[in-house]
Amino acid sequence: MVDDDQNAILFGGDYNPEQWPEDTWQGDIDKLKQANINVATINVFSWALLEPRENVFNFEQLDRIIALLVRNKIKIILATSTAAIPAWIIQKYPGIARVDVNGIRQKQGKRHNACPNSPDFKRLARGLVKRLVERYKDCPELTYWHVSNEYEGYCYCDNCAVAFREWLQQKYGTLERLNLDWNSNIWSHTYHEWSEIEPPMMTTDLFDNGKPVLSGAAIDYQRFQSDSLLNDFKLERDVIKQFDQQHPVTTNLMGSQKALDYFKWAPEMDIISWDSYPMPDDSAAETAMEHDLMRGLKQQPFLLMEETPNQQNWYPYNALKKPGEMRMLSYQAIAHGANNIAFFQLKQSRSGAEKFHGSVLTHSDSVHTRTFKEVQQLGKEVTKLPMTLNQANVQANVAVIFDWDSYWGLENSIGPLAKLSYVKEVQRFYQMLYGHGLTVDLVAKDADLMKYQLVVAPVLYMMNPQAITNITRYVEQGGTFLTTYMSGIADQTDNIYIGGYPGPLREILGLHIDEHDARSAKQSVRILAMNQSEVGTADGVCDLIIPDTATTLAHYSNDVFYNNYATITRNHYGRGTAYYCGAELSESGLNYLMEKLANTAGLKLGTSPKVEVTTRATAEEKFIFIINTDNREQTIMNPVPLATSLLTGKESATKLVLGPYAVEILHQIL
Amino acid sequence: MVDDDQNAILFGGDYNPEQWPEDTWQGDIDKLKQANINVATINVFSWALLEPRENVFNFEQLDRIIALLVRNKIKIILATSTAAIPAWIIQKYPGIARVDVNGIRQKQGKRHNACPNSPDFKRLARGLVKRLVERYKDCPELTYWHVSNEYEGYCYCDNCAVAFREWLQQKYGTLERLNLDWNSNIWSHTYHEWSEIEPPMMTTDLFDNGKPVLSGAAIDYQRFQSDSLLNDFKLERDVIKQFDQQHPVTTNLMGSQKALDYFKWAPEMDIISWDSYPMPDDSAAETAMEHDLMRGLKQQPFLLMEETPNQQNWYPYNALKKPGEMRMLSYQAIAHGANNIAFFQLKQSRSGAEKFHGSVLTHSDSVHTRTFKEVQQLGKEVTKLPMTLNQANVQANVAVIFDWDSYWGLENSIGPLAKLSYVKEVQRFYQMLYGHGLTVDLVAKDADLMKYQLVVAPVLYMMNPQAITNITRYVEQGGTFLTTYMSGIADQTDNIYIGGYPGPLREILGLHIDEHDARSAKQSVRILAMNQSEVGTADGVCDLIIPDTATTLAHYSNDVFYNNYATITRNHYGRGTAYYCGAELSESGLNYLMEKLANTAGLKLGTSPKVEVTTRATAEEKFIFIINTDNREQTIMNPVPLATSLLTGKESATKLVLGPYAVEILHQIL
Amino acid sequence: MVDDDQNAILFGGDYNPEQWPEDTWQGDIDKLKQANINVATINVFSWALLEPRENVFNFEQLDRIIALLVRNKIKIILATSTAAIPAWIIQKYPGIARVDVNGIRQKQGKRHNACPNSPDFKRLARGLVKRLVERYKDCPELTYWHVSNEYEGYCYCDNCAVAFREWLQQKYGTLERLNLDWNSNIWSHTYHEWSEIEPPMMTTDLFDNGKPVLSGAAIDYQRFQSDSLLNDFKLERDVIKQFDQQHPVTTNLMGSQKALDYFKWAPEMDIISWDSYPMPDDSAAETAMEHDLMRGLKQQPFLLMEETPNQQNWYPYNALKKPGEMRMLSYQAIAHGANNIAFFQLKQSRSGAEKFHGSVLTHSDSVHTRTFKEVQQLGKEVTKLPMTLNQANVQANVAVIFDWDSYWGLENSIGPLAKLSYVKEVQRFYQMLYGHGLTVDLVAKDADLMKYQLVVAPVLYMMNPQAITNITRYVEQGGTFLTTYMSGIADQTDNIYIGGYPGPLREILGLHIDEHDARSAKQSVRILAMNQSEVGTADGVCDLIIPDTATTLAHYSNDVFYNNYATITRNHYGRGTAYYCGAELSESGLNYLMEKLANTAGLKLGTSPKVEVTTRATAEEKFIFIINTDNREQTIMNPVPLATSLLTGKESATKLVLGPYAVEILHQIL
């Protein structure tokens, strides 16, 4: 049973009692309390119930839901319900529905469907949120405000076109400047009036593969839509803050999704929260990277707003989580910065798109299911964790730069390899670090890098003056830096730097590149160290590096005509060292590179790629999470022998034998 | 040459003389009579000729076509010509054309293109059909009325939206009831006015994969569209019946197609007819199952309205039928209940979408082609078959439940495995039965089951009170029943039964299920009998069965963590036995299961999976069809030794040696 | 450096200085002259700059660009800038933008976006071109007029519908004739008013796979759109000719693209020019065939208007060209009839869709890149080639018939094999010829065939009276002719000839065909010579040939039931011989066929499939191009020993050892 202690770590999830007969509510709560649930996220999609017609509000059911939770001492994360527009609103104001990238106006249905620039949406959302805040701000169990839900997707309507032109006028001032920065003399795109500019979409400037002619226009539209949705978030947040300065405001983000530049969102949010849904075959590194990105947004702990206690619903094959796997993933989240655990959802829906999505209470409605018991056990553990953990931040000595501008710019490019995926390439290098036991911060390109022993910037396609200065200074002052193919290519309006890739990074890297090949996986090429031993293979983009001051560490084999060109180089610059990796390396090639980097940066590498060791610390104490991410037993040397186990209360041994998905949390007082 | 006997079995096909110069008609008929053709289906697509502008009719050409057939003593199946709308109608009444699932209004072209709820369509169709019936009802060769053609597809126009709302009002009475049954509080879908309800389509409630948010709304739209097209059929049928009570009315169905719930259509049709187009690689079982479904609609013999005498036209590779293959497939149709043979078409078109579709008279226009000679030979045989065969129904002691509600409900589900195909899963179990020599009826879930020794209900996802009672009573009273994964999941508005799968079937099965895995084909798991011997493999949906009173017959191997869970169980309930198969079994696993079922049900299994033995019988006589469905010789023991062969007139031997695609029809007087 | 000789062969490419600051222009020119560039194609996409609003023109920048080129003695190919419509025009005249095949009106963006039947487009284009010609016709460096760019794609707007009806009235005179020729009684398509006819598109008569019901209507729409775009070309050409009769007019074509029947375009063009972009894995034969088709349009030398000096931009993997590969491909173009070499582009764009497209000056902006140096070396060579080469035409003794009617008709067919690709099937037989060292002309089906020793007509699906006469006479008078499956099937309105395939070619071939199988690649069948030895395999379409007077040379094996049917036949007709190949043969099967053909036609076959030997000749001299198309060394016997090498100036040896991609040009005075 949940401890009544108000200071227990939050353990809960989404709860939608409005889908169920009211006489079942208390029974559900009784069961959920057995599972140690102490918080519920409610009211995520209730606008149609709360406001059945314009300016007519009905909070009676919500009052009863909140009273139920209060009565049962369940904390509340209260959502604003604006993430799906009621049918009556769309019928009354059809322009509130989005126009899709094909130019087709949507009608009522699905969710996340409001045009972000609709004045009707803004007015109606403001009205609803105002009433919600006024009514519930003093609720004793209220813990967080949860604005909307999983902001995503773009709109291409005429409202958005008008707002885009205003956004562009703000940014460029004159059409002359815009034409210059967009290089719009290409294909007769020159604009003579602001009104001539249309959103880049399938009926205008996007090809069948979704890529644009004018990449400057395309990335500006991405920035504009990200800003537009952020404005909607800020609108709701500001209404909340007007009446309630006490409870923090968040919205649940979605990891490395493409549409929104979360680094611009983070400063506007009191706390980051996000929904973690690894695919069944995702590696532990892929999940870890997403957590690190979400933590990196504010470089602070975050809320895990959603995970599934068992199988997902939306994947081609929604495999069951294995015994212990959900627990392992939950602790992995905490190790990487989560200050809570929350599930989507607490009670499984009887119908609707997500009816087969895992839940704490399943269609069996039983407390004897495997899922329920695993949740219950986890709840028992995590609600006992010390609250000081919440102040402890993750200790990383390596940074990976993640950059939505590069994400967009790279994936807007048609050549040299249309299917190049930004996130997959970042994952490649994150995996290299994670697989060697390093703890990583994902940071923006203008973040403070000085505290890191190593900074890795994969496919950092798009630069700007601040980033150039920031990275250059980091190396100058002694940092160890790695960047890769397709980095330093374009400026912030996606105009390519002239003078040889990678433009503004040439000097610190001590090299230049005139050509990059693009090879399919079937055409992989062997990569050789200077002693001609093979260190791995590569495919995809392969740079033909010409070292200026850099030293060649590996080169292509005679599988290709450019076998004399370098694949990996190292350059001393200022007091630091800049590495360059010119090809999409296989795992063994990455291992070779990792050893070089570790030597330069003075990093100690781990020994088990399957066991993650991550430390969260405050000035006073350390929490060392040791997680076997694998379904087979693993043994490692204890990095902090004799430290107390938080889960067993006992002293830990010198050697740790970890069963499948086993977790150990060791505690050190400093 | 065709016998003049009016009682010969019908042997014919579609005939479109309006595509050809009139001076070629008699020559064609002369050739067709050489092929023993005695019936022609005409006037399927002639509206534009019959009614060149509104209320102006021109029947002169049709008069001459009919006169030609009458003169040549060719029977007539007369179609109503409403399956393709003339250009002038669509130009005059654009709203008669369908709006597609993307919201795009169609214009003139293709066929099967009328909005089923268009008042203009109804008025114009009524006018045309009335004149046709008045004019031709007394034609001496008239045999059947053929309404429209291959009804298919849905419309999403505003007319349909209005009619849908009326249909919903009829069904639910109040919006409160609808909101409850649709569980529409999900994602703020609650409706406050009937007018707010839109057809679920891509611009409203369907995702990119075509699956809905509100599955209750989606399945209701499927029912509504099926009903709407049925109403169009009934409209034409009623006009016919008003003037002609003598000739039976049919429309050609299309087997296990998805759009229309044929069990609701069947009672409205005087006789079932359908178009059989197996793909080149389809198994004999797949074709047999489609015939059994069509026969099962009314549990009566049917008309084979179309098959191709040689290659198809619409498949990726339209392979030739091998020598004897068309004959074999024709007899297979008769064995499964066809009372005729008919081809699409009698004379191959010179152009148009189907110009390369097989025909009796091909582009060679010759009576010396292989196709022509095979047709001729078959015609000679079948027109000699005794007319009493038409009264003989197929004798099956096994039933398979086929259910459009489950078809729709299952394929509307996003999880646990989006690509789960209803028909493929039914085929899996039909193949198990057919491959062991069993004759099967495909029946609705509320059909009379008591006469069957075994009832199989694959993926019977959606239940309703009558079906629950029906199945429960069948088992109680001694029946042997098998159901599978994804059965008994949801009620008739697609709300999942609470309390563990398979809901209302739990008790008769003596088990419950909290979890089902979803595995790709690459992740297949071995299935073990209780003696730990491997009986087969499984992938796709894998239930974790927890037997309550059931006995475990097979379980998962340690390929998976749930190796202790049952895969196949058996439960004694009342006087009967209920089996459950919890995973998509491989062929050997199904063989294992079949043996168990046969033991319980007292069924004798066949020995040759390639030779089909099917019996049609009246009270007085039996027709035993023995068909080698394979291209290689097969030998079997004669199930009715000494019985007379209808094809040779001789006594049959004890052992039957059947050449490639060979057919034997043995006759017994009772 | 470029020779100032005005008679040097043109060596240049597209140049877009309007994308760059004016102060960089002269520097670029200085570099380009180092690369021996002597011509620039300019003004391809500058309409928005030249006419910023209606009837307001601004030629100042273009004046300066032209002055720059004149000052630097760079010749000019001057484009008319009408290939992309400025935003202001589309905003002012929305009807100028195309409606796509789905019925969706486009807005501003991309390029090649004007409705070809828009009166606004015609008026505005005429206005612009008139001013361009008046202003620049006397420019001393003006060499060619380049109308628009890469005409492509269709429009489906209401303007086009109206124009289509007029085009049809011109062609058919009466609706009765049209209904008859279109066989429109199929599926009730009969038209009673011209206005009822709509363009065949997705909302009308095309299926999801893009194939039509009425193939007569579909091919007429293809002809109509090809004619419509040709009318636009002629409109601009006529404006040019009105003011300038001196400079030849061209537009850059695109090889075997589908949309436009270039045989109808060629007579309207002063000289053919085209853009050659082989994919990285394309064979030398595929590239050669495209050149031969472009030369075949007028049976004259042509301009290579675009090739990439290094990697392409639009392919999935844009591989680098290997050292020597661009030079080899350039000489291959010249060998096949190019009178120049031109690159897209001279200076790589900083942004836009083609920013990673190879260029002479790359983003490195350096004269030290591999690309620059290879271009420079090639320029040095080709600008020294004698100008008499330009008068020398390619000497081919084999013709392959290429036919857009067959291209369209075949690919409009749904059966027997929907994915049959016209170009791939022509390539199959071209490869057979090319791989055996034969030089080939690609010609229209009504071209003069008498001069060829062998004429090959692959998949010549659609015939017309002239073609029948032409081919028949060729064989009668002693020619050797080969045609294949899917030839002689349909007349010019796509109505199939009755009486056995291949209709009007039956007599010269001495055979008929009632059936053709369609087999997937997995179902390939062995083909046997008459001595039962296997000569190869086949799949796809397989004809069941019945020889009448023809001799069987190969037949199917017992892999198939039609093993007695011929696969390859030969027939003597008149003084000639007609071969028929009834199946999609593998390479070895084609080799077998080639030997037979060579024997009959008296052709000497080459020995190295990797070394191309092609001769261009005038009455006075011969240029023998010997090209190693492979990346490995090849050795061949010199076909013209002792002839002078144009590249080295030396006498050539008896045996030629050719390094990777090596080229030799031998010169003979006759």
Side-chain angles (χ1 to χ4, degrees), chain A residues 192 203 205-206 499 501 514-515, chain C residues 48 107 110 310 320 363-364:
Chain A
H192 301 296
T203 52
D205 218 29
L206 302 186
Y501 315 125
D514 293 331
E515 301 182 78
Chain C
K107 298 181 173 184
K110 299 187 280 273
N310 196 350
L320 294 173
H363 294 142
S364 292

Side-chain angles (χ1 to χ4, degrees), chain B residues 18-20 45-49 52 84-88 91 104-111 281 310-311 313-323 348-356 363-365 369-371, chain C residues 182-183 185-192 195-196 198 202-207 212-213 215 413-418 461 486 489 491 494-501 513-520 523 544 561-562:
Chain B
E18 68 278 5
Q19 295 175 17
W20 299 94
F45 291 110
S46 298
W47 195 343
L49 291 171
I85 308 304
W88 71 259
Q91 193 170 52
I104 297 177
R105 170 76 67 186
Q106 304 298 295
K107 298 181 173 184
Q108 188 264 333
K110 299 185 282 272
R111 57 177 179 174
D281 294 331
N310 196 351
Q311 67 195 148
N313 180 72
W314 295 95
Y315 296 136
Y317 294 91
N318 295 287
L320 294 173
K321 287 185 177 172
K322 297 181 182 67
Q348 194 167 22
S349 300
R350 294 189 67 181
S351 70
E354 293 179 308
K355 67 190 173 203
F356 287 117
H363 293 143
S364 292
D365 201 28
T369 65
R370 182 177 71 97
T371 305
Chain C
W182 282 8
N183 208 356
N185 287 346
I186 288 173
W187 295 5
S188 209
H189 277 51
T190 313
Y191 299 99
H192 300 297
S195 65
E196 291 166 19
E198 297 281 356
M202 303 313 287
T203 52
T204 65
D205 218 28
L206 302 186
F207 292 99
V213 175
S215 40
S413 290
I414 292 166
L417 197 162
Y461 172 84
M486 298 309 288
I489 301 287
D491 69 16
D494 207 355
N495 285 301
I496 293 180
Y497 294 108
I498 300 304
Y501 314 125
I513 294 158
D514 293 332
E515 303 181 77
H516 42 217
D517 203 2
R519 308 180 71 81
S520 73
Q523 299 168 319
L544 278 58
F561 74 83
Y562 43 86

